[in-house]
Amino acid sequence: MRRKLVAGNWKMHKNIAEAKAFAAEFIDLLDNKRDNVDVLICAPFTQLAALKEALKDSGVMVGAQNCHFEDEGAFTGEISVGMLEELGMDFCIVGHSERRQYFAESDETCNKKLHKLFETSIRPILCVGESLEEREAEKQFEIVGNQVKADLDGLKADQVSQVVIAYEPIWAIGTGLTASKEQANEMCAYIRQTVGQLFGEEVAEKILIQYGGSVKPNNASELLNMSDIDGALVGGASEKSDSFIQIVNY
Ligand code: PGA
């Protein structure tokens, strides 16, 4: 049985005081009976140290939302994987559609970032997903399959089994439009099949594949109970402890 991973993505929200307040409230709401679900929060860089400290005995993991693919250098404004490792980060999101759309993230840079992260113990959450136009043209499987192939290129099978892939249809992010549980499961199964063809059945059985895009307390349970959906990447509904805990307790 694969454990589920429910991950929050705070994007560019909250300051340090708000992050600490969230952590305190969230710890109060958490019970210890999380036998089959792990919890992660991916916060802006400035809050990572404080959040890691605030959550240190809770079992809740902390991650970043981006990294650079070089060790160091003249890359103004960027953060290296070594810098994230120094903060004890558990995960790092790679290739979120907002980064692909607004910051020229490509499959090539995603691939380099994945390789670089595997020089550390930080696990990647690789985001893939099609746009509305691509789905309307029935190209979603081709688009997502190509992203998976290009982004995982050159990784070893044991590394790929440590990657978390988040299927996030762009048309469902922040829009209130959720993929139906069937649409989401169908794509997660397709991603698993693609991983199996590229890296073998054992890896396909192990790899965690999340769904993301307007996951809320009222739809988490139906999505997370699907056979190929191993968790959720949650934006808006992860900002408040009371809605995020409902998703964790789906
Ligand atoms: P949303 O964002 O839950 O607000 O749609 C998901 C994401 O962008 O990861």
Side-chain angles (χ1 to χ4, degrees), residues 9 11 96 98 168 172-174 213-216 233-236:
N9 171 15
K11 309 192 180 187
H96 190 281
E98 288 151 14
E168 298 207 311
I173 296 178
S214 299
V215 177
K216 307 284 176 208
L233 185 55
V234 186

Side-chain angles (χ1 to χ4, degrees), residues 4 8 16-17 47 63 71 73-74 93 102-103 107 110 112 123 128 140 148-149 176-177 192 212 244:
K4 305 269 183 193
I16 295 175
Q47 298 155 31
D71 289 324
I93 297 175
Y102 305 125
F103 302 99
D107 288 325
C110 288
K112 286 185 184 172
R123 291 175 63 186
V128 296
Q140 67 270 27
V148 169
K149 273 185 212 131
L177 289 176
R192 195 177 306 286
F244 194 49

Side-chain angles (χ1 to χ4, degrees), residues 83-206:
M83 294 167 185
L84 295 177
E85 194 172 42
E86 199 179 17
L87 292 177
M89 289 301 99
D90 301 292
F91 278 87
C92 181
I93 297 175
V94 173
H96 190 281
S97 61
E98 288 151 14
R99 296 213 57 87
R100 292 181 192 254
Q101 187 178 350
Y102 305 125
F103 302 99
E105 187 87 89
S106 64
D107 288 325
E108 193 189 342
T109 56
C110 288
N111 180 251
K112 286 185 184 172
K113 290 177 183 191
L114 293 189
H115 280 275
K116 189 49 77 176
L117 281 165
F118 278 111
E119 293 177 16
T120 70
S121 58
I122 304 170
R123 291 175 63 186
I125 297 187
L126 170 67
C127 300
V128 296
E130 81 286 356
S131 66
L132 186 58
E133 300 78 69
E134 289 161 348
R135 181 163 279 264
E136 281 172 353
E138 294 180 9
K139 286 196 174 144
Q140 67 270 27
F141 294 107
E142 182 189 330
I143 296 290
V144 171
N146 287 342
Q147 286 177 332
V148 169
K149 273 185 212 131
D151 297 349
L152 299 180
D153 188 46
L155 292 176
K156 299 193 187 76
D158 62 323
Q159 293 175 325
V160 176
S161 64
Q162 293 300 306
V163 175
V164 175
I165 299 181
Y167 167 54
E168 298 207 311
I170 298 168
W171 47 273
I173 296 178
T175 57
L177 289 176
T178 318
S180 70
K181 61 185 196 294
E182 292 82 12
Q183 283 173 325
N185 195 58
E186 183 185 34
M187 184 61 86
C188 290
Y190 176 75
I191 292 171
R192 195 177 306 286
Q193 184 194 326
T194 305
V195 167
Q197 285 160 358
L198 295 168
F199 298 97
E201 277 317 303
E202 210 181 305
V203 177
E205 269 309 302
K206 267 197 207 156

Side-chain angles (χ1 to χ4, degrees), residues 174 176 178 213-221 223 234-237 243 246-247:
T178 318
S214 299
V215 177
K216 307 284 176 208
N218 64 358
N219 59 22
S221 157
L223 288 160
V234 186
S243 56
Q246 289 180 58
I247 298 173

